[in-house]
Amino acid sequence: MRFMVIVKASKDSEAGKMPSNELLGAMAKFNEELVKAGVMLDGNGLQPSSKGARIRFSGKNRTVIDGPFAETKELVAGYWIIQVKSKEEAIEWMKRCPNPHEGDSEIELRQVFEIEDFAPSDAVEQHRANQAAIDKQKS
């Protein structure tokens, strides 16, 4: 099972305030534990929403909205992609995570859909082919 672990943004992360050296060190140690255990597939911090954009879809129309975005509690400051045997294992790992912000903060775990979760179809086969091409590019 793969999970995306979402680090919620804070006023500081949205202001572009960098984490302390102490927090960076604690996160590096935690990430090393995830890597050594074969759990971590990817993970990164994200730039503030002021450097981002959203694309709104309405029928065939596309509207680009430049950041920053107002609702900090709705924003993402970083993420991990982890692979574990169960949701409970994902929770246990992430309970060991250093607090990603000064003060109160929150992370969210969301299970990633796997191709096997979908009924067989031409679209699913196209997704398999796309993933095979991506995997080939990586090697």
Side-chain angles (χ1 to χ4, degrees), residues 123-139:
V124 167
E125 290 311 310
Q126 183 61 52
H127 282 284
R128 283 186 205 278
N130 292 343
Q131 188 59 52
I134 291 168
D135 294 343
K136 186 176 179 180
Q137 287 177 348
K138 288 181 182 178
S139 55

Side-chain angles (χ1 to χ4, degrees), residues 16-126:
K17 181 179 176 189
M18 296 302 285
S20 68
N21 283 335
E22 180 180 51
L23 178 55
L24 287 173
M27 281 295 185
K29 184 178 177 190
F30 177 67
N31 287 343
E32 182 180 8
E33 291 174 21
L34 291 170
V35 169
K36 284 182 178 178
V39 170
M40 186 168 165
L41 301 177
D42 190 19
N44 281 293
L46 301 174
Q47 296 276 344
S49 69
S50 60
K51 296 184 177 185
R54 291 180 176 165
I55 300 169
R56 179 170 290 140
F57 294 79
S58 179
K60 293 183 180 184
N61 295 323
R62 307 295 185 261
T63 305
V64 176
I65 304 134
D66 289 320
F69 307 116
E71 289 294 325
T72 302
K73 66 183 179 184
E74 302 292 328
L75 299 175
V76 177
Y79 70 94
W80 287 271
I81 303 290
I82 61 172
Q83 186 163 13
V84 293
K85 292 183 175 92
S86 66
K87 178 175 144 185
E88 292 72 26
E89 184 181 356
I91 290 168
E92 287 307 311
W93 269 108
M94 299 322 294
K95 283 169 59 178
R96 296 169 50 190
C97 177
N99 184 346
H101 299 293
E102 293 180 17
D104 293 344
S105 64
E106 188 174 283
I107 60 175
E108 179 178 334
L109 283 75
R110 302 279 301 275
Q111 188 172 348
V112 175
F113 275 113
E114 304 295 346
I115 200 73
E116 294 79 18
D117 294 329
F118 298 92
S121 70
D122 290 341
V124 167
E125 290 311 310
Q126 183 61 52

